[in-house]
Amino acid sequence: MVFDIPGNWTDEDFHAHFAPFGHVISAKICMDSVTTVSKGVGFVTYASLTAATTAMQGMNGFDTKQGKFLRVTISNGGNQYTPDAVAAQTEPVVPSADACTN
């Protein structure tokens, strides 16, 4: 789960920032269904845990140059994660009930 995504990023921008870390299956920014404005939250799914872990380590704290630094955490998907992926999280984050799903 990715937090603090700039409001002007598109799904394509989001994908492009995370693609260097491995094969991205999906990259989606959550949008408000009424206003169609970005919620600043998104999900990235990788083909491998190694790619996901590397992306978390590389993108957590990424300076968007728009006054925001990305926060990248493990989504509550119930999957098994490597200790490196768990350690890559710097702050626990509880998603809101209206967060979109991928």
Side-chain angles (χ1 to χ4, degrees), residues 68-87:
K68 293 186 174 201
F69 294 86
L70 297 182
R71 289 185 298 135
V72 184
T73 66
I74 296 172
S75 178
N76 295 332
N79 297 324
Q80 295 286 325
Y81 295 97
T82 65
D84 288 341
V86 174

Side-chain angles (χ1 to χ4, degrees), residues 16-73:
H17 278 85
F18 282 85
F21 298 96
H23 178 71
V24 175
I25 295 172
S26 68
K28 182 76 177 151
I29 297 172
C30 299
M31 307 296 273
D32 183 281
S33 60
V34 175
T35 65
T36 68
V37 174
S38 169
K39 292 183 178 183
V41 175
F43 294 90
V44 180
T45 303
Y46 283 94
S48 73
L49 285 176
T50 301
T53 300
T54 303
M56 285 178 60
Q57 292 168 332
M59 293 299 287
N60 193 37
F62 176 79
D63 184 354
T64 66
K65 308 294 187 210
Q66 296 181 36
K68 293 186 174 201
F69 294 86
L70 297 182
R71 289 185 298 135
V72 184
T73 66

